[in-house]
């Protein structure tokens, strides 16, 4: 069962729940209250990349210029600071996994914030259509969560201030959202990719690069015919260039979702990989 983060915190504070994450909206309150000092733990959940999924079958996101403009108008540093979680995603793949491209090696392919280029693209689209940016409405759909709501509000403000477009936010419970997303009635959907294991291929090499692809026995992975780690970075960077565009922030989960509560004196979980706690 999926439970709303705010409901979980309320249940914890009422003594009805042993553990809860800290919702983004309550982060400052909890960290400033000394009563919670002995309760807080840091617990890594997963390696997740938060992304936006653009609907290419619905105007105006059916036009490449609009999708590029929306992406270039994203200031990932501000988004990450607002949600108090993770770090800006310059590539789709998490930098903690083997073979993931790094900004140091592939800076020219990393996601960037370029508001001037974004404005030029949206202007080009509007001139062709004989409209003004304020005539465009972008609908952004996400499942109910304090974290998703704050992220959506920050992104909507960026798009409105940078591009001049109108943004309509649509939120729903997860069960409704997951079904409505299939109908394709909104321009933008919040989504994420949780990487399954600590290698950059995460089934992409299994499917596309290794002999036998998906049908290779899992017990053989990744030793039979797969690309070795020394050759991986250049190949993954080429793949990353195709899928990085809408990546927002990586969930190394260094703040609100790492910082949870435990009412009893259980041993804290440690990270499988080092994380940078801010």
């Amino acid at each position: 069962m999926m439970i709303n983060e705010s409901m979980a915190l309320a249940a914890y504070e009422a003594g009805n729940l042993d553990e809860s994450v800290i919702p983004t909206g309550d982060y400052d309150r909890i960290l400033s209250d000394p009563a919670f000092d002995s309760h807080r733990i840091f617990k890594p959940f997963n390696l997740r990349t938060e992304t936006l999924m653009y609907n290419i079958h619905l105007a105006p996101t059916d036009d490449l210029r609009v999708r590029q403009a929306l992406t270039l108008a994203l200031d990932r540093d501000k988004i990450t600071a607002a949600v108090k979680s993770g770090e800006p995603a310059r590539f789709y793949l998490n930098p903690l996994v083997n073979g993931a491209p790094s900004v140091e090696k592939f800076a020219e392919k990393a996601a960037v914030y370029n508001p001037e280029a974004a404005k030029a693209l949206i202007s080009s689209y509007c001139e062709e259509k004989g409209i003004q940016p304020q005539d465009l409405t972008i609908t952004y759909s996400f499942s109910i969560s304090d974290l998703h709501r704050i992220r959506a509000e920050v992104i909507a403000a960026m798009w409105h201030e940078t591009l001049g477009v109108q943004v309509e936010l649509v939120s729903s419970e997860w069960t409704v959202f997951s079904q409505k997303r299939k109908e394709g009635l909104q321009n933008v959907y919040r989504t994420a990719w949780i990487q399954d294991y600590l290698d950059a291929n995460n089934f992409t090499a299994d499917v596309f690069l290794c002999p036998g692809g998906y049908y290779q026995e899992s017990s053989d992975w990744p030793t039979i015919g797969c690309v070795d780690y020394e050759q991986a970075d250049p190949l993954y960077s080429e793949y990353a260039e195709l899928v990085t565009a809408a990546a927002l922030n990586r969930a190394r989960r260094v703040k609100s979702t790492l910082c949870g509560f435990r009412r009893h004196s259980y041993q804290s979980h440690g990270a499988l990989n080092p994380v940078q706690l801010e």
Side-chain angles (χ1 to χ4, degrees), residues 136-156:
L136 293 176
T137 297
I138 304 294
T139 54
Y140 178 153
S141 177
F142 59 96
S143 57
I144 294 176
S145 157
D146 288 341
L147 186 68
H148 301 337
R149 175 185 56 79
I150 292 172
R151 183 189 297 111
E153 290 173 350
V154 171
I155 291 172

Side-chain angles (χ1 to χ4, degrees), residues 49-54 67 70-72 74 76 79 89 91-92 111 155 159 188-189 191 240-249:
T49 302
E50 293 284 334
T51 66
L52 298 179
M53 181 168 62
Y54 297 136
R67 300 195 299 272
L70 295 175
T71 298
L72 289 168
L74 295 172
R76 292 164 178 79
I79 294 170
F91 291 97
Y92 194 81
I155 291 172
W159 286 343
V188 182
Y189 295 90
T191 189
E241 188 175 19
L242 300 177
V243 298
T244 290
L248 297 175
N249 63 296

Side-chain angles (χ1 to χ4, degrees), residues 41 46 65-66 80 86 142 179 198 204 206 210 224 254 262:
I41 61 169
N46 49 55
R65 290 168 296 181
V66 174
T80 304
F142 59 96
Q179 292 301 314
L198 298 179
T204 56
D206 295 336
C210 304
I224 297 181
V254 297
R262 182 162 284 144

Side-chain angles (χ1 to χ4, degrees), residues 113-252:
Y113 170 54
N114 191 333
E116 295 307 315
K119 291 176 184 178
L121 285 163
I122 210 73
S123 294
S124 171
Y125 174 82
C126 289
E127 288 174 9
E128 180 182 295
K129 302 296 182 181
I131 58 176
Q132 297 296 318
Q134 60 265 32
D135 298 324
L136 293 176
T137 297
I138 304 294
T139 54
Y140 178 153
S141 177
F142 59 96
S143 57
I144 294 176
S145 157
D146 288 341
L147 186 68
H148 301 337
R149 175 185 56 79
I150 292 172
R151 183 189 297 111
E153 290 173 350
V154 171
I155 291 172
M158 287 179 181
W159 286 343
H160 179 67
E161 292 169 8
T162 303
L163 303 175
V165 301
Q166 307 301 315
V167 183
E168 177 184 346
L169 300 181
V170 181
S171 63
S172 56
E173 294 290 345
W174 170 254
T175 52
V176 175
F177 171 77
S178 60
Q179 292 301 314
K180 288 291 185 181
R181 186 167 56 181
K182 298 176 183 178
E183 298 175 3
L185 301 179
Q186 273 79 47
N187 297 109
V188 182
Y189 295 90
R190 174 265 164 188
T191 189
W193 181 39
I194 300 176
Q195 293 161 80
D196 302 291
Y197 42 82
L198 298 179
D199 185 87
N201 73 47
N202 273 268
F203 68 71
T204 56
D206 295 336
V207 174
F208 299 113
L209 301 181
C210 304
Y214 179 79
Y215 302 100
Q216 179 169 277
E217 292 293 330
S218 59
S219 58
D220 292 336
W221 182 91
T223 58
I224 297 181
C226 293
V227 177
D228 63 41
Y229 296 147
E230 295 300 318
Q231 300 172 327
D233 278 3
L235 291 172
Y236 290 140
S237 72
E238 294 297 327
Y239 167 74
E241 188 175 19
L242 300 177
V243 298
T244 290
L248 297 175
N249 63 296
R250 299 192 194 295
R252 285 198 194 181

